[in-house]
Amino acid sequence: MLSIFISDRLFPMEKEKIISLYLGKTAKIERQILGGMMNGSFLVDYQNKKYILYMPTAQANEMVNRKEEKRHLDIVYPLGVTSKNIYFDIPSGIKINEFIEGESLNNLDTFDANKVANILKVLHGSKVRSNLDYLPFEKLQGYEKEALEFSSLDDDFRSYKNLLLENKDYLLSDPLVLSHNDYQKSNIVFNPKDNQYYMIDFEFMANNSPIYDIACFANGDVKDGLALLNAYFDNPTVDETKKFYLWRIFISMQWYLVAIIKHYRKEGEAHHIDFLSVANHFMNVAKDAKARLDALK
């Protein structure tokens, strides 16, 4: 998803009280960090160690199963692909994680596709499973129903939805694996000290097709997604490539609907974000994916 800045005014002194209570009275917020549409993220210093405080936005808790998110953080940490969660309030979704030194891939010009693929393979190849299946088509239907309460939807959305429904069984034919389900560059950190990559933000983790995660990585630039596809499969088949583009359309339509909902809920006014522009961005991503899919035939 697009990197956006959620207004600090939405999170007043409450965040100061949280870090004081669960870290210590000398804990200090250094700055807010660019993030996605679900959280305000704050870099915290306590006793010369860094932490990240996550404060959910209004809609986030309606979309995320916090009890399962907490379980996911606990089962993924031993895999060595992320940082440790040290505080999690299930009712509110507020959490504090150890900070991973380094840079988000969003801020880097290059990345090692093989290493990014390898940490994804660790996740997908693990024996652990979520208690939840992602159920993508049910999720898309739910977002569409809510969006229609506010407005009619773009004709292109209906066209892409029909394409996805025609290929539903095909897309769901892959064995389910433990998946991140928001595996985009903003959720991957490169640590130059150990020359390794780490994933963050597990709000949408569930069992899903492995190619879904690869398609998420293409949100910003399709070339990034194709680089990951080739690194992950080492000469992907036509079927794997076709599923990559179909899932890319699916993910774009999913976030198109979320942006429409946020616009009509007037969340854009609070966050100073034009969510209609965000929706248009994802519609354009879907159009590009459809053109590339057609070129495969």
Side-chain angles (χ1 to χ4, degrees), residues 170-186:
Y170 175 63
L171 285 172
L172 298 181
S173 62
D174 291 332
L176 301 184
V177 298
L178 184 63
S179 300
H180 186 282
N181 297 314
D182 196 17
Y183 196 70
Q184 54 187 315
K185 293 176 76 173
S186 60

Side-chain angles (χ1 to χ4, degrees), residues 56-73:
T57 58
Q59 190 185 8
N61 287 336
E62 300 173 18
M63 301 174 65
V64 178
N65 184 320
R66 297 299 182 186
K67 183 178 179 180
E68 285 303 306
E69 183 190 2
K70 170 63 173 129
R71 176 178 178 270
H72 293 152
L73 289 170

Side-chain angles (χ1 to χ4, degrees), residues 226 228-241 244:
L226 289 170
L228 182 59
L229 181 73
N230 282 280
Y232 188 97
F233 287 110
D234 189 23
N235 194 23
T237 65
V238 172
D239 266 353
E240 289 161 347
T241 305
F244 166 80

Side-chain angles (χ1 to χ4, degrees), residues 44-291:
V44 179
D45 179 86
Y46 177 62
Q47 295 183 343
N48 296 318
K49 188 170 181 178
K50 306 296 185 185
Y51 300 87
I52 294 289
L53 168 68
Y54 294 96
M55 303 284 286
T57 58
Q59 190 185 8
N61 287 336
E62 300 173 18
M63 301 174 65
V64 178
N65 184 320
R66 297 299 182 186
K67 183 178 179 180
E68 285 303 306
E69 183 190 2
K70 170 63 173 129
R71 176 178 178 270
H72 293 152
L73 289 170
D74 291 340
I75 64 177
V76 171
Y77 174 66
L79 300 177
V81 297
T82 193
S83 61
K84 186 177 183 179
N85 170 252
I86 63 168
Y87 168 71
F88 198 117
D89 182 67
I90 290 176
S92 68
I94 295 170
K95 54 187 175 283
I96 301 173
N97 290 354
E98 292 181 345
F99 178 64
I100 300 172
E101 296 286 348
E103 284 284 346
S104 163
L105 292 199
N106 262 358
N107 301 327
L108 299 177
D109 294 329
T110 62
F111 63 91
D112 187 322
N114 289 316
K115 288 189 174 182
V116 174
N118 285 341
I119 61 168
L120 197 57
K121 289 179 181 180
V122 169
L123 181 69
H124 292 169
S126 66
K127 295 181 180 179
V128 294
R129 289 292 182 271
S130 172
N131 291 325
L132 303 173
D133 290 342
Y134 191 68
L135 302 175
F137 284 89
E138 287 83 347
K139 197 175 296 290
L140 190 71
Q141 184 178 28
Y143 292 154
E144 180 185 8
K145 181 178 179 181
E146 185 173 0
L148 285 170
E149 293 176 3
F150 299 109
S151 173
S152 58
L153 299 173
D154 193 295
D155 288 342
D156 285 335
F157 169 79
R158 289 189 288 272
S159 174
Y160 294 140
K161 175 189 169 185
N162 289 337
L163 173 66
L164 292 167
L165 289 174
E166 290 169 5
N167 288 277
K168 179 179 178 179
D169 291 342
Y170 175 63
L171 285 172
L172 298 181
S173 62
D174 291 332
L176 301 184
V177 298
L178 184 63
S179 300
H180 186 282
N181 297 314
D182 196 17
Y183 196 70
Q184 54 187 315
K185 293 176 76 173
S186 60
N187 287 332
I188 303 169
V189 176
F190 173 64
N191 185 343
K193 290 183 179 180
D194 61 10
N195 196 33
Q196 295 299 322
Y197 293 78
Y198 299 89
M199 57 180 73
I200 60 173
D201 292 355
F202 297 89
E203 292 178 318
F204 298 105
M205 174 165 275
N207 307 314
N208 201 359
S209 162
I211 300 178
Y212 187 99
D213 274 342
I214 300 171
C216 284
F217 196 75
N219 269 357
D221 190 328
V222 66
K223 294 179 182 178
D224 295 335
L226 289 170
L228 182 59
L229 181 73
N230 282 280
Y232 188 97
F233 287 110
D234 189 23
N235 194 23
T237 65
V238 172
D239 266 353
E240 289 161 347
T241 305
K242 182 177 179 181
K243 287 177 180 177
F244 166 80
Y245 287 127
L246 284 168
W247 280 128
R248 188 167 185 248
I249 293 170
F250 180 97
I251 292 162
S252 299
M253 291 301 92
Q254 179 176 248
W255 291 118
Y256 162 82
L257 291 171
V258 170
I260 291 293
I261 293 166
K262 284 182 172 290
H263 169 75
Y264 285 104
R265 283 186 168 191
K266 300 188 183 301
E267 291 190 33
E269 296 176 7
H271 305 327
H272 305 293
I273 300 164
D274 182 357
F275 279 115
L276 285 184
S277 292
V278 175
N280 186 60
H281 163 78
F282 285 110
M283 185 61 71
N284 287 333
V285 170
K287 289 177 181 178
D288 175 79
K290 177 61 166 58

